[in-house]
Amino acid sequence: MPTVLITGASKGIGEATARRFADAGWDLLLVARSRDKLESLSKALSRTGSQIFYQAIDLSDSKALEKGILELLDNGLSPSVLINNAGVAWTGDLLSMPLERWTWLLNVNVTSVFQICSLVVPSMRKKGGLVINVSSHAADNSFPQWGAYCVSKAALSRLTKCLAEEERSNSIRACTLTLGSVNSSLWDSLDNDFDRDAMLSVDQVSNQLLKLAELPPSEVIEELKLMPSGGAF
């Protein structure tokens, strides 16, 4: 069975993606903050016959991240696909944002992706592999009250392009999946009055992620934008 490593796997897009890949016959390496949710998900997916290992990691903590990812990779599974899905948001006037929150958001949305790629990609070079970074249309837009999020997603998209160019000769492909609004747990902690039923579903996103992952090694979609048909918001 092929193996995928998924971050932010305990809820929302990450959980839906773990379920979709397990149903398709993939082995799973899962990362999220909540050990209890990862354990529950792992038990639920045991019916698929997939091998599943997980690690509870705070991705804003660089030291804990390195230790946790190395322990996860020590379980004997070697990922051929890495999906950096974990992300956080903060809303409010950009210049009123506390530096602590700015650092936290950039650490999770950008720095952790760099760090995980640094730890995982070298082991993928021998057989080739695919990195999918989940971004947002906020990378190409400027939304009031979402400044830090827009900055982080723009940086993530550029990181993916640079990774693709540098690792092409090592048989590593890199893709940005750019999303419009998704009805996920991201919105649960934010003040908003958006129509969540008009958003993309997490299952629609997980289906696209599986399609990207199952492309033959001779192909790569370097950028894919998936939007709600009713328009972005």
Side-chain angles (χ1 to χ4, degrees):
M1 289 184 179
T3 299
V4 60
L5 192 161
I6 305 167
T7 69
S10 65
K11 56 185 179 180
I13 294 171
E15 179 185 355
T17 301
R19 292 181 181 277
R20 187 71 186 87
F21 274 71
D23 286 339
W26 289 63
D27 291 329
L28 308 179
L29 297 172
L30 306 178
V31 173
R33 283 176 295 178
S34 172
R35 181 173 297 278
D36 289 344
K37 290 181 179 179
L38 287 171
E39 182 178 4
S40 176
L41 178 60
S42 179
K43 288 180 179 178
L45 295 180
S46 62
R47 59 173 174 75
T48 65
S50 297
Q51 290 190 77
I52 304 171
F53 297 99
Y54 58 85
Q55 197 74 27
I57 305 173
D58 178 357
L59 296 183
S60 68
D61 183 336
S62 60
K63 291 183 179 178
L65 186 157
E66 180 175 6
K67 180 176 182 293
I69 292 295
L70 290 177
E71 288 179 359
L72 185 62
L73 294 175
D74 198 35
N75 283 302
L77 294 180
S78 180
S80 58
V81 174
L82 165 61
I83 300 177
N84 287 302
N85 160 73
V88 293
W90 185 91
T91 56
D93 292 339
L94 180 61
L95 299 185
S96 69
M97 186 177 190
L99 179 59
E100 177 189 0
R101 292 285 85 188
W102 170 272
T103 302
W104 161 76
L105 187 146
L106 268 292
N107 280 348
V108 174
N109 290 1
V110 185
T111 305
S112 74
V113 175
F114 159 75
Q115 199 173 359
I116 291 170
C117 286
S118 298
L119 294 167
V120 175
V121 169
S123 66
M124 300 168 72
R125 289 173 179 153
K126 185 175 182 180
K127 295 183 179 180
L130 172 66
V131 177
I132 306 174
N133 291 332
V134 179
S135 188
S136 162
H137 69 128
D140 302 314
N141 293 282
S142 301
F143 297 122
Q145 311 297 309
W146 288 79
Y149 186 77
C150 292
V151 169
S152 70
K153 292 304 181 180
L156 178 61
S157 294
R158 186 55 55 183
L159 185 156
T160 310
K161 291 179 182 293
C162 292
L163 179 69
E165 292 304 319
E166 290 193 4
E167 291 295 332
R168 197 180 305 277
S169 61
N170 294 319
S171 300
I172 301 298
R173 298 166 292 149
C175 169
T176 301
L177 176 59
T178 299
L179 301 174
S181 301
V182 180
N183 186 11
S184 73
S185 52
L186 176 72
W187 300 99
D188 295 342
S189 60
L190 300 175
D191 245 349
N192 68 86
D193 56 1
F194 295 133
D195 179 4
R196 291 176 64 167
D197 289 335
M199 298 179 179
L200 296 166
S201 72
V202 294
D203 290 331
Q204 288 173 312
V205 177
S206 67
N207 286 338
Q208 290 299 326
L209 285 166
L210 182 62
K211 289 178 183 178
L212 290 170
E214 292 190 332
L215 285 173
S218 59
E219 298 177 19
V220 61
I221 296 175
E222 294 189 340
E223 293 182 75
L224 177 64
K225 181 176 284 189
L226 182 64
M227 304 293 289
S229 60
F233 54 89

